[in-house]
Amino acid sequence: MVTGLSSDLDIARSVTPLPIMDVAARAGIPPEAVEPYGRGKAKLDLSAIPDAPDGKLILVTAVNPTPAGEGKTTTSVGLADALNRIGKRTMLCLREPSLGPCFGIKGGATGGGHAQVIPMEDINLHFTGDFHAITAAHNLLAAMVDNHIHWGNALGLDVRRIVWRRALDMNDRALRGIVQSLGGVTNGFPRESGFDITVASEVMAILCLASDVEDLEARLARIVVGYTRDRRPVTARDLKADGAMAALLKDAIKPNLVQTLEGNPALIHGGPFANIAHGCNSVIATRAGLKLADYVVTEAGFGADLGAEKFFDIKCRQAGLTPAAAVIVATVRALKMNGGVAKADLAGENVAAVKRGVVNLVRHIENVRQFGVPVVVAVNHFAGDSDAEFVVIAEAAEAHGVRAISCRHWAEGGAGAEELAHAIAELAEAPSQFAPLYDDDLSLFAKIEAVATRIYRAERAVAEPHIHAQLARWEAAGHGALPVCIAKTPYSFSTDPAVLGAPTGHVVDVREVRLAAGAGFVVAICGEVQTMPGLPRVPAAEHIRLDADGLVQGLS
Amino acid sequence: MVTGLSSDLDIARSVTPLPIMDVAARAGIPPEAVEPYGRGKAKLDLSAIPDAPDGKLILVTAVNPTPAGEGKTTTSVGLADALNRIGKRTMLCLREPSLGPCFGIKGGATGGGHAQVIPMEDINLHFTGDFHAITAAHNLLAAMVDNHIHWGNALGLDVRRIVWRRALDMNDRALRGIVQSLGGVTNGFPRESGFDITVASEVMAILCLASDVEDLEARLARIVVGYTRDRRPVTARDLKADGAMAALLKDAIKPNLVQTLEGNPALIHGGPFANIAHGCNSVIATRAGLKLADYVVTEAGFGADLGAEKFFDIKCRQAGLTPAAAVIVATVRALKMNGGVAKADLAGENVAAVKRGVVNLVRHIENVRQFGVPVVVAVNHFAGDSDAEFVVIAEAAEAHGVRAISCRHWAEGGAGAEELAHAIAELAEAPSQFAPLYDDDLSLFAKIEAVATRIYRAERAVAEPHIHAQLARWEAAGHGALPVCIAKTPYSFSTDPAVLGAPTGHVVDVREVRLAAGAGFVVAICGEVQTMPGLPRVPAAEHIRLDADGLVQGLS
């Protein structure tokens, strides 16, 4: 173990990575399936991976996120390393981070301390180019929409009803709202539009839910780009864009193999937003992991109200996956904040605040168990945490028949999460009782209500008549069997980010609905949801640079 | 040789590629310098390449392009294969193609027939991600410009004088002119802007002219993004964007190694526009090639009036390169078109038309020899060409002391260009007399005049007083020693694309000037120059798709 290093990047660089072919060999991946990308990354050709019985699928989720940080990715890495340490062949399956936010406030999304995946600077920047390919496929479709209109609009697209925007993997608030096609006849018909960040693209969600190349192309074909004057949908297939979009994604569809600091294999592939999309890594990577390993450790975005619910109701439902157990990550600090403490006041023991805040954790425990998935709580240890604070959490969990385990993987790597690994291995022994929250044949609004009342514990969900009318039109058009994907603040069970803890009696107001016919869900937007982030006053970019050895400095 | 195949893609796929490590070994590249990207591509770590005396630099340029096609890239590939065949260790150095145009009209830019570089579908689509990295670096700077203004505009940027647009590698006319930052306070200050295609980005030109990582970062720092109210320039350094931009380019700066169909090594790296930029592959790749091989075959964009002039006056000047010889590619068909024949009427012998059109070739011969570079003409053979037509070309060349050689590399690979290879090897024996067209210390407008009168053979260059004033301001600010980069139509020596042949007496009207302080040249825009292409009525994208084996079909 290396100590006294100043940053995650320093720790990551202090480890000599295994050659990626050796990582593949450790994971039982045949060499002919490995396409190296630089020295420490590879794409996998899945056709060369032998069939095998599926391993067990372990979800890592969390309490509602707070500015104190929970360490969900760090815990996923630590757990995978720990399972490998105790002799369980384990594959880690994570999301790819978005490039844009690395230049804003947040650092990368490759874990931290001694529980990281590497090469962290590559993974956080362009990695193997998947997000750039998604951006290109997205924007090709956008260009073909406007090109079609420019050359005569044979499909009769209503330029006021085009719903396909453009995408860029960059935090750029200036592109949220634009007027395009200015400058005269040769530039097309001016109209209002805008850009979303690439992780919010439906192409991203499609890539992550597709089961194979044919399914990918079929889903791309179903994308609705807009409507005619009489509200008939116009699709990517109508524009003949689906084939070229799939061609642009021919490599992006292959999972990426990297390693943890302890040399264990990790598939990092896809990274859809966890609000307007489902927030999990690709189905293709998860399935490959299940074939290759006895355990797959994967994570879902934000807290369990958003991430785990979508993992179960969208990803597992569509892909026929059966999770064996779930880890809910909590920290003393996050629960203190849920107990009303400001970030500036987190130092020092505060048992009373943890007692107030632990209701947030308890509700997530109850929620995950509603899906029939057994739970263990991982308390990600921070230096200032007291034993008494941990005991509050452990007792609250135990009152619900769930173990809470203090984990020190950040400081100690896999060795610090062995107890968690043993607990998970034990829980995953029992046959799964997993079932999604609601049935396919419920109406779309009844599905929204089911999530709102049973997961968010709202009194009810409400929507204006035009929203109900829109949902009815989609049901009439054959989209009624789709699951719903609710976009709301990740910070609260309610739609108000300031209401922490475990609120009840609130109302979920559905402001807008969007059809993601290719991804295969209906998005219900409840509250402010930003799909193109901005940069802060002092962007992280100002401190990022290449040193004389060509190494990236300042990426945190 | 394979015959009866229907497309370049079929021919390319009929060849079993060498493992990229074997290609590297053939080129004398040590294994530790090779970072594989998938099976048939690699990036080179230049620090692991041993120093050696420079080989000889051969430029492939052409007559003015016509819709008939000249085959400049095809000839470059054929010549490199032929030189290798006759025992000369040769490295091919080409530009990377742009992704956007592949979905429009034109196919890829990897040669054709039996003179191709492979894997063509990878090279034409994302390749190793260089252009996506350039797009990201470009757009990060753009986001930081608007972010700076949003948070208080401490540098006092005049929002009416921001010259840094955004970039996308896509043919999308709708993005040529936009109004951005709409939607209220949180989205910034609305202003007019737009997107250029990535190959038109100054970041592309910088990457291609940088000598190493430090020079890259220094050039990025010098980019002028806009001006204050009192016209002081604001740079990427002022915004502290240069380090993060360089970090985004850390892999893009490394040359990419691929192979020809005959297994010979090719470095394909960078691809700036040949109108508003200099149109050659990277200096880094060319220099690496010169260290690794006895001959480097490289090409420049468009015809010799634009491409060769910029190769000599910008790339060779900045990088201290000394070209040993040049090939001017011509075809019977292109010269017929220069002789006034429409594309539909090209079939059948037409000696008179070739006689009329050969003046175009002759002027390019004279021009290249003005730089002190010896010339050979490669007549890229097409099936319908007659001997009598070739003789016209050969006699015209001979009248200027230059050989014209009929080449059949398209049909026969390197074997079809051996005569050309011998001629080049002989020409390159003589000590180089190379010198750029004009001296650094000429005024900026005098440099424009030198190119206009001596290369384009215009009577004079003219510009409005505000253009002269702008050039004077840049000279006063210390940019007077830069070379000029003239953007005009590639189809004519004049600024009127309809005037073929070898016009004289025309006037070059400088409509606009732009400072590329990072790339290190002043752009003079003469006539309509489109920096964001559009898609045609029936885009090629409509016919591109993935087949059941995951192979791209329809890419031509």
Side-chain angles (χ1 to χ4, degrees):
Chain A
M1 198 178 87
V2 184
T3 53
L5 292 167
S6 55
S7 75
D8 289 346
L9 193 53
D10 289 337
I11 295 172
R13 289 194 178 139
S14 71
V15 171
T16 305
L18 294 178
I20 198 67
M21 298 305 293
D22 293 1
V23 177
R26 278 173 83 154
I29 301 168
E32 62 272 21
V34 184
E35 300 173 6
Y37 270 64
R39 300 205 187 285
K41 303 164 281 181
K43 280 198 165 280
L44 297 190
D45 176 359
L46 297 183
S47 68
I49 288 182
D51 196 20
D54 278 350
K56 290 176 189 298
L57 181 57
I58 312 298
L59 174 69
V60 177
T61 182
V63 298
N64 289 94
T66 69
E70 291 68 48
K72 195 169 52 195
T73 303
T74 303
T75 303
S76 300
V77 178
L79 173 59
D81 279 339
L83 281 163
N84 277 303
R85 281 177 73 91
I86 66 168
K88 310 288 187 189
R89 286 177 56 245
T90 301
M91 178 68 83
L92 179 62
C93 286
L94 297 179
R95 292 169 292 165
E96 298 181 55
S98 180
L99 183 157
C102 293
F103 298 98
I105 295 176
K106 89 186 257 296
T110 51
H114 294 271
Q116 295 188 54
V117 281
I118 51 173
M120 84 87 106
E121 59 273 49
D122 289 26
I123 298 170
N124 281 316
L125 297 181
H126 310 293
F127 201 21
T128 58
D130 295 343
F131 284 19
H132 293 315
I134 290 165
T135 304
H138 185 116
N139 291 330
L140 174 62
L141 179 55
M144 289 178 78
V145 167
D146 284 299
N147 192 58
H148 178 84
I149 297 167
H150 178 74
W151 288 107
N153 198 7
L155 293 167
L157 268 163
D158 183 344
V159 294
R160 304 164 308 176
R161 290 196 172 97
I162 292 168
V163 295
W164 194 253
R165 291 156 53 91
R166 284 174 176 79
L168 214 56
D169 193 4
M170 193 54 66
N171 284 23
D172 192 348
R173 69 171 62 76
L175 294 178
R176 288 172 184 159
I178 69 168
V179 170
Q180 60 167 60
S181 308
L182 298 173
V185 171
T186 56
N187 297 353
F189 294 87
R191 64 180 182 87
E192 215 173 325
S193 184
F195 284 69
D196 299 317
I197 192 163
T198 299
V199 292
S201 163
E202 188 180 347
V203 179
M204 175 69 82
I206 287 172
L207 184 112
C208 290
L209 288 166
S211 52
D212 53 30
V213 166
E214 289 94 79
D215 186 38
L216 173 75
E217 192 156 345
R219 286 171 179 266
L220 293 169
R222 289 199 292 270
I223 291 172
V224 173
V225 299
Y227 297 86
T228 61
R229 266 189 177 260
D230 54 356
R231 303 204 181 177
R232 280 179 296 106
V234 174
T235 66
R237 176 84 283 268
D238 295 330
L239 290 163
K240 300 180 187 158
D242 46 333
M245 292 172 76
L248 282 167
L249 298 171
K250 79 179 174 69
D251 296 314
I253 192 79
K254 300 175 185 171
N256 307 294
L257 178 71
V258 293
Q259 63 190 295
T260 69
L261 287 179
E262 301 188 3
N264 292 309
L267 295 178
I268 302 198
H269 193 220
F273 242 169
N275 48 33
I276 68 156
H278 63 290
C280 323
N281 72 274
S282 77
V283 164
I284 287 180
T286 300
R287 282 192 179 153
L290 290 169
K291 291 291 168 211
L292 289 163
D294 298 328
Y295 291 82
V296 166
V297 174
T298 190
E299 65 168 346
F302 295 141
D305 54 329
L306 285 172
E309 188 275 320
K310 291 171 185 181
F311 176 78
F312 296 140
D313 278 328
I314 297 175
K315 179 173 174 175
C316 290
R317 179 194 305 261
Q318 285 199 19
L321 298 170
T322 304
V327 175
I328 301 179
V329 180
T331 59
V332 166
R333 292 154 55 88
L335 295 182
K336 278 182 190 169
M337 291 194 78
N338 267 287
V341 178
K343 192 180 177 190
D345 302 329
L346 287 175
E349 186 182 80
N350 190 340
V351 172
V354 178
K355 276 186 180 160
R356 287 194 305 273
V358 80
V359 293
N360 185 269
L361 170 63
V362 166
R363 179 169 292 174
H364 286 296
I365 293 172
E366 292 169 355
N367 281 350
V368 171
R369 294 174 81 186
Q370 281 194 70
F371 291 88
V373 177
V375 172
V376 61
V377 173
V379 182
N380 185 18
H381 182 78
F382 277 66
D385 299 352
S386 81
D387 289 346
E389 289 169 328
F390 172 73
V391 167
V392 171
I393 301 171
E395 286 178 357
E398 201 178 349
H400 290 78
V402 164
R403 281 184 69 188
I405 296 167
S406 180
C407 300
R408 293 170 186 255
H409 44 272
W410 188 89
E412 299 172 14
E418 281 194 19
E419 191 184 347
L420 179 67
H422 283 293
I424 277 293
E426 197 183 307
L427 272 188
E429 281 308 305
S432 176
Q433 305 292 319
F434 170 72
L437 189 72
Y438 51 80
D439 288 339
D440 288 353
D441 55 10
L442 230 54
S443 76
L444 291 170
F445 198 76
K447 291 170 182 168
I448 295 170
E449 281 179 316
V451 178
T453 57
R454 293 173 57 196
I455 301 296
Y456 307 159
R457 313 295 177 93
E459 194 182 296
R460 61 187 189 282
V462 298
E464 297 286 330
H466 75 273
I467 303 263
H468 286 284
Q470 178 63 77
L471 293 174
R473 276 198 299 275
W474 287 334
E475 284 165 350
H479 301 297
L482 296 179
V484 295
C485 179
I486 299 185
K488 71 159 181 66
T489 175
Y491 301 113
S492 170
F493 278 103
S494 77
T495 58
D496 177 352
V499 180
L500 305 188
T504 54
H506 52 281
V507 173
V508 170
D509 183 4
V510 181
R511 297 194 192 176
E512 183 190 343
V513 285
R514 297 182 192 170
L515 175 63
F521 50 70
V522 169
V523 180
I525 295 178
C526 309
E528 291 292 321
V529 174
Q530 186 56 263
T531 52
M532 173 53 94
L535 293 170
R537 184 182 291 271
V538 181
E542 292 188 3
H543 305 291
I544 295 173
R545 63 184 183 81
L546 281 182
D547 66 17
D549 299 324
L551 294 175
V552 179
Q553 299 297 342
L555 199 63
S556 61
Chain B
M1 197 180 88
V2 184
T3 54
L5 293 167
S6 55
S7 74
D8 289 345
L9 193 53
D10 290 337
I11 296 173
R13 288 195 177 137
S14 71
V15 171
T16 304
L18 294 178
I20 197 68
M21 297 304 294
D22 294 1
V23 177
R26 277 173 84 153
I29 300 168
E32 61 272 21
V34 184
E35 299 173 5
Y37 270 65
R39 298 203 190 286
K41 303 164 281 182
K43 279 198 166 277
L44 297 189
D45 176 359
L46 297 183
S47 67
I49 290 181
D51 196 21
D54 278 350
K56 291 177 189 295
L57 180 58
I58 311 298
L59 174 70
V60 178
T61 182
V63 298
N64 289 93
T66 70
E70 291 68 49
K72 194 170 51 193
T73 303
T74 303
T75 303
S76 301
V77 177
L79 173 59
D81 279 340
L83 281 163
N84 277 302
R85 282 178 71 92
I86 67 168
K88 310 288 186 189
R89 288 179 53 247
T90 301
M91 178 67 81
L92 179 61
C93 286
L94 297 179
R95 293 169 292 164
E96 299 181 55
S98 179
L99 182 158
C102 293
F103 298 99
I105 296 174
K106 89 186 256 296
T110 50
H114 294 270
Q116 295 187 55
V117 281
I118 51 172
M120 84 87 107
E121 59 273 48
D122 289 27
I123 297 170
N124 280 317
L125 297 181
H126 310 293
F127 202 22
T128 57
D130 295 344
F131 284 20
H132 293 315
I134 290 165
T135 304
H138 185 116
N139 291 331
L140 174 63
L141 179 55
M144 290 178 79
V145 168
D146 283 299
N147 192 59
H148 178 84
I149 297 167
H150 178 72
W151 288 107
N153 199 8
L155 292 168
L157 269 163
D158 184 342
V159 295
R160 304 163 308 176
R161 290 197 172 96
I162 292 168
V163 295
W164 193 253
R165 290 156 54 94
R166 285 175 175 77
L168 214 57
D169 193 5
M170 191 56 64
N171 285 23
D172 192 348
R173 68 171 64 75
L175 294 178
R176 288 171 185 159
I178 69 169
V179 171
Q180 61 167 58
S181 309
L182 298 173
V185 171
T186 57
N187 297 353
F189 293 86
R191 64 180 183 86
E192 214 173 327
S193 183
F195 283 69
D196 298 318
I197 193 163
T198 299
V199 293
S201 163
E202 188 181 348
V203 179
M204 175 70 81
I206 286 172
L207 184 112
C208 291
L209 288 166
S211 53
D212 53 29
V213 167
E214 288 94 79
D215 186 37
L216 173 74
E217 194 157 343
R219 286 171 180 266
L220 293 169
R222 289 199 291 269
I223 291 173
V224 173
V225 299
Y227 297 85
T228 61
R229 266 190 177 263
D230 55 356
R231 304 204 181 177
R232 281 179 295 108
V234 174
T235 65
R237 177 83 282 268
D238 295 330
L239 290 163
K240 300 180 186 155
D242 47 331
M245 293 172 76
L248 281 167
L249 298 171
K250 78 179 176 69
D251 295 314
I253 192 78
K254 300 176 184 170
N256 306 295
L257 177 71
V258 292
Q259 63 190 294
T260 69
L261 288 178
E262 301 188 2
N264 292 310
L267 295 178
I268 302 199
H269 194 220
F273 243 166
N275 48 32
I276 67 156
H278 64 289
C280 324
N281 73 274
S282 76
V283 165
I284 286 180
T286 301
R287 282 192 179 154
L290 290 169
K291 291 293 168 208
L292 288 163
D294 298 327
Y295 290 81
V296 166
V297 174
T298 191
E299 65 169 346
F302 295 139
D305 53 330
L306 285 173
E309 188 274 320
K310 292 172 185 182
F311 176 79
F312 296 140
D313 278 327
I314 298 176
K315 179 173 173 172
C316 292
R317 179 194 304 261
Q318 285 199 19
L321 297 170
T322 304
V327 176
I328 299 178
V329 180
T331 60
V332 167
R333 293 155 55 88
L335 295 181
K336 279 183 190 168
M337 291 194 76
N338 266 287
V341 178
K343 192 180 177 189
D345 303 327
L346 287 175
E349 186 181 83
N350 190 340
V351 172
V354 177
K355 277 187 181 159
R356 287 195 303 275
V358 81
V359 294
N360 185 268
L361 170 64
V362 166
R363 179 168 296 174
H364 288 296
I365 293 171
E366 293 170 353
N367 281 349
V368 171
R369 295 173 82 186
Q370 282 194 70
F371 292 88
V373 176
V375 172
V376 61
V377 173
V379 182
N380 185 17
H381 182 79
F382 277 65
D385 297 352
S386 80
D387 289 345
E389 289 169 327
F390 171 73
V391 167
V392 172
I393 301 171
E395 287 177 355
E398 202 176 354
H400 290 77
V402 164
R403 281 186 67 189
I405 297 167
S406 179
C407 300
R408 295 173 184 254
H409 44 273
W410 188 91
E412 300 171 14
E418 281 192 21
E419 191 183 346
L420 178 67
H422 283 291
I424 277 293
E426 196 183 309
L427 272 190
E429 281 308 306
S432 177
Q433 305 293 319
F434 170 71
L437 189 73
Y438 51 80
D439 288 338
D440 289 352
D441 56 8
L442 231 53
S443 76
L444 291 169
F445 198 77
K447 291 170 183 169
I448 296 169
E449 281 179 316
V451 177
T453 56
R454 294 173 55 197
I455 302 296
Y456 308 158
R457 313 294 177 95
E459 194 181 296
R460 63 187 188 281
V462 298
E464 296 286 331
H466 74 274
I467 303 259
H468 285 285
Q470 177 64 77
L471 293 174
R473 276 196 301 274
W474 288 333
E475 286 165 347
H479 302 296
L482 296 179
V484 295
C485 179
I486 298 184
K488 71 159 181 69
T489 177
Y491 301 112
S492 170
F493 278 104
S494 77
T495 58
D496 178 352
V499 180
L500 304 188
T504 53
H506 51 283
V507 173
V508 170
D509 183 5
V510 181
R511 297 194 190 174
E512 183 191 343
V513 285
R514 298 181 192 171
L515 174 63
F521 49 70
V522 168
V523 180
I525 295 178
C526 309
E528 292 291 319
V529 173
Q530 188 55 265
T531 51
M532 172 54 93
L535 293 170
R537 184 182 291 271
V538 181
E542 293 188 3
H543 305 291
I544 294 174
R545 63 183 182 84
L546 281 182
D547 67 16
D549 299 323
L551 294 175
V552 178
Q553 299 297 343
L555 198 63
S556 60

